[in-house]
Each structure stands twice: as C-alpha cells, then as structure tokens.
C-alpha cells in the first residue's frame, strides 16, 4: 500500500489565518492517523504577495500547535527543495511545462499587455478576468522559435479545448464535471519565469508523492484545470478534500474585521493554543459521538476525513470561549499561573498573594483577560451601592448588615491570625454564639471587603488575601456607608 503523504503548502503572505491552520491541522491528522508523513512546502512563487516574516510565523505556529512536520525546508526527506522559489531554480517547472508543450497541452504566449487588455472579460467569483482567445496557439513552430530567439517575453499557457467536459473527484463534493469551454487557458509559467500556483501545485504534489490534498474550497473551481494537467502527464491525481468556508456569526466569510480571523489574534485575546487547535478541528469535522474536547493525540486517533462536512462552518467565539475555559480548568496550576501572572499584574500592583488570587479565578474565567474583572477589587475597593447588602436568601438588609459589621469589627480587630482557616473558625464561633446563619454574617462582610455582588471567593478567603489592615479599613468603610445610607 502507498504511504499516506500530506502537505501543508502555505504562501508566506502574512498571518496564520484560522482557515490555513485548519488545512494544516487536517493534513496533519490525515497523515498521522494513517501513520503517514506530513510535509511542509513553502509556496512563494507569487513574489509580489510575499511578506517579510511570514515564513517565521508559519514555523512558529506549526511548532506551537504541535503540528510537527516530518519533512520541509528545515528537514530534508529526499523530496526537496521544499521552497518553490528554490525548486524553480532546479528547472523542474520549465521542464514539465515544455513536456506539456510537446504534448500539445500547453503553448507559448507572447501577447503583450495592450493586447491582453483588449480581450473580452468575464466576471468569475466577483473578479473580472479576461478570457484568453488562444491567439498564440495559432503561431507556427517557426514563429515561436523566432520569438524565443529574439528574446520576446512570454508566458506558457495551458491549452484547454473548447469542446467536451472535464471531470474530477472530490471526497466531499463527489464528481464534479465542468464544460471545457468554461475553463480559461490559465498561465502555467509567468513572464518572470516563476510558475503560477496553478501549475506548481500539480507538479509538486505529484513529484513529492502527495496522496491527499486538503485546501479551502476557493480552489474547487480551478481543480478541473489541475485534473487536466494530471491527465495530460498521465499522473494519478491525489485525493482532493476541499474544505467548507469558515464564516463569522453573520455567515460572512471570516475576515480580519471579525477580530479573530488569525491564530495570532486569538493568542493575543488570551486563548490557549490547545483550545484553539481543538476548536478548529471541529470547524467542519465531527466525531461519531458528540464529544468535543480532544487533545491533539486524541484527534489523531479519532480523525476520519470522511466525516468532514461540506456545509459552511461558523466560527462561534462564544463556543471557543467556553472551550478555552474547560482547558483552563483542566490545566495544572503552575502552568496556569505562569500564563495568568501578566494579566494579574496588570491590575494588581499592590503586594498581594497573586498565587492565591490565581487559584480563586482558575475555574471561573474563560480567557485570561477575564481575570481583571474578577480581581480588580483586591487592588482598590470600588464604589458600591449599600443596596448590595440586602440579600433575600441570606436574609440580610442594610440594617442587619450594619449591626453585623459593628459586631464583627472588634472581633476582627482582636484577631491576630488572618489565615482563611483561623478567620473562618473565629467567625463561625461568633455566628454560633449569636444563633445566626452563616450567610447572615458572611454576606455583609464579603460585600464590605469587595464592594461586589460576585467575587471569586468567600469572605474569609478575601480577608486573608487583603490582610488585617486593609480588611479592617474596608469593614469600617462599610459601616460608614451603611450609617450614612441608613440615616
Ligand atoms: N499556497 C496555497 C495557499 O496558501 C495553498 C493551497 C493548497 O493547499 O493547495 O492558499
């Protein structure tokens, strides 16, 4: 049996988009599920779109997400070079283009800009493209030779007949047939000598023994032309899997405007890599059961590309947030703390036990930036409304709270040990002596020391972190507010 070989073939044109990462992930999973090889190929033939630093982003992302490639520019596996501009220098594309010319499947085209500009145009997928009229197909061999000898600039075009149909197969979409008349004679080799993506992807996938090609379905419409190239060479085409579009909540193509269209955006927004990868795996694929949380290793075991869906995948940030929260809950504390620390330090500049505070929020946040809203009161007591002292279930109101705070103030003043346990024992003793219910006392204390309706921890844990001096200051402040509000 042939070994499964997949490739991730990014163009270094900028950030790592969610769609790119999904293609890489699926390629990786298909290969690893079958014990095959996952290869990285850099497609840099469009020199105009090349962005400095983009290749580094690709390496960094694959490394961070754990999508380890078996072969690539930095890891020779015998199929190199792995960068298309370097492959070009070996003459491989020109050699195959000439082979097609010999077979009558391609031809030299010497038309200049002006002539091309005068051609009929057609709108294809929103873009106006000119339909080449096969003018140069009519040149005799001698004319071509003379033009070449004179150094006239040229491109090489695919020769697609006007009659007949071309059929190719996609794993998700099935057999797709297209009228040849609808296919233009696309450029294979550009005037600068570089191959187009359209040509290079075919030559490379074949010569690099690629068995499965996963890519966005924007390539679906060009695939018949690629199929014709495979057929012309007599090569077997790889298994095609064209992935559905990823849309935002408004069913528009996920774009920069959504604010979360790239891996880097998501990291900046405080998502963790494992959750992002897990979530992206589910953008178009689902397992047999409804399970949603998977480690990369579990994805490798479960991933069956036949279960990829062709309906558009909606990028649901609410769901990703939930999933991220699950990852944070499951994370070991030290790792969590290391990642949470910068977010804690941003709001908490006082001398506070940040580890204790981190432990309080670990199970309560979905993403790191949520931290601020949970812990800001430790830094400074916010202004609050005394109405917060009234709690139906705890049976408290402003009057009872004032009384309780006045009673506990001397107790807390006398208390030396401000550890959570010791404070708790002291307060429970007082509760029992008075015959109160716990909440009747803890609610006003918690309100006074936090100024918040919701806190990531109970009253005594907050007292412990604040320490004696600050805790007493806040209780006294509570008394003062209640006396004012009460009068
Ligand atoms: N270089 C193409 C891109 O980045 C790759 C498409 C493919 O995987 O064939 O979109």
């Amino acid at each position: 049996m042939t070994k499964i070989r997949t490739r991730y073939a990014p163009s270094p044109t900028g950030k790592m988009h969610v769609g790119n990462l999904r293609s890489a992930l699926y390629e990786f999973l298909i290969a690893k599920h079958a014990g095959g090889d996952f290869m990285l190929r850099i497609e840099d033939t469009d020199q105009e779109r090349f962005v400095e630093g983009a290749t580094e982003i690709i390496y960094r992302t694959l490394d961070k997400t754990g999508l380890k490639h078996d072969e690539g520019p930095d890891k020779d596996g015998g199929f190199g070079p792995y960068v298309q501009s370097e492959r070009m220098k070996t003459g491989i594309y020109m050699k195959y283009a000439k082979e097609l010319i010999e077979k009558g499947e391609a031809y030299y085209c010497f038309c200049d800009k002006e002539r091309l500009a005068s051609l009929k145009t057609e709108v294809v997928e929103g873009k106006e493209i000119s339909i080449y009229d096969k003018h140069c197909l009519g040149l005799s061999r001698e004319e071509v030779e003379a033009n070449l000898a004179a150094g006239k600039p040229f491109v090489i075009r695919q020769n697609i007949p006007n009659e007949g149909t071309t059929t190719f197969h996609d794993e998700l979409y099935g057999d797709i047939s297209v009228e040849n008349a609808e296919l233009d004679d696309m450029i294979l080799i550009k005037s600068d000598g570089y191959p187009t993506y359209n040509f290079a992807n075919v030559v490379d996938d074949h010569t690099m023994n690629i068995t499965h090609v996963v890519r966005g379905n924007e390539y679906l419409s060009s695939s018949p032309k690629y199929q014709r190239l495979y057929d012309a060479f007599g090569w077997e085409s790889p298994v095609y899997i064209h992935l559905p579009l990823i849309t935002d909540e408004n069913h528009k193509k996920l774009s920069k405007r959504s604010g979360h269209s790239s891996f880097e955006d998501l990291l900046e927004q405080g998502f963790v890599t494992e959750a992002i990868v897990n979530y992206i795996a589910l953008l178009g694929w689902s397992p047999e059961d409804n399970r949603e949380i998977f480690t990369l290793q579990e994805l490798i075991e479960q991933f069956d590309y036949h279960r990829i869906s062709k309906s558009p995948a909606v990028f649901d940030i609410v769901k990703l947030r939930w999933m991220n929260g699950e990852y944070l809950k499951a994370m070991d504390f030290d790792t969590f703390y290391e990642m949470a620390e910068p977010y804690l330090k941003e709001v908490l500049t006082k001398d506070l036990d940040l580890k204790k505070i981190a432990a309080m929020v670990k199970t309560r946040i979905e993403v790191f930036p949520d931290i601020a809203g949970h812990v800001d009161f430790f830094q400074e007591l916010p202004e609050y409304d005394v109405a917060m002292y009234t709690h139906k279930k705890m049976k408290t109101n402003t009057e009872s709270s004032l009384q309780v705070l006045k009673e506990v103030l001397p107790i807390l003043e006398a208390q030396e040990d401000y550890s959570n346990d010791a404070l708790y024992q002291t307060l429970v003793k007082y509760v029992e002596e008075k015959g109160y219910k716990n909440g009747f006392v803890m609610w006003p204390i918690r309100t006074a020391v936090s100024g918040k309706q919701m806190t990531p921890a109970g009253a005594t844990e907050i007292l412990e972190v604040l320490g004696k001096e600050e805790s007493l200051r806040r209780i006294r402040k509570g008394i003062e507010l209640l006396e004012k509000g009460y009068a």
Side-chain angles (χ1 to χ4, degrees), residues 29 45 63 76 83 148 157 190 194 263 290 320 333 383 407 422 437 472:
L29 294 174
T45 58
D63 187 51
D76 189 15
V83 179
L148 290 176
R157 289 183 184 274
K190 298 183 275 187
Y194 277 92
F263 180 61
N290 286 330
L320 174 58
F333 182 75
E383 282 193 19
E407 283 172 12
K437 285 256 168 18
L472 293 176

Side-chain angles (χ1 to χ4, degrees), residues 7 9-11 20 27 43 197 201 213-215 218-219:
R7 88 303 192 268
S11 304
N20 295 139
E27 296 260 12
E43 303 207 322
Y197 161 77
N201 91 85
V213 166
V214 178
R215 61 185 167 214
E218 66 269 28
Y219 291 100

Side-chain angles (χ1 to χ4, degrees), residues 313-328:
V314 181
F315 190 95
D316 179 355
I317 196 80
V318 174
K319 177 104 184 253
L320 174 58
R321 282 182 62 96
W322 164 80
M323 191 173 275
N324 202 69
E326 295 301 301
Y327 272 84
L328 295 185

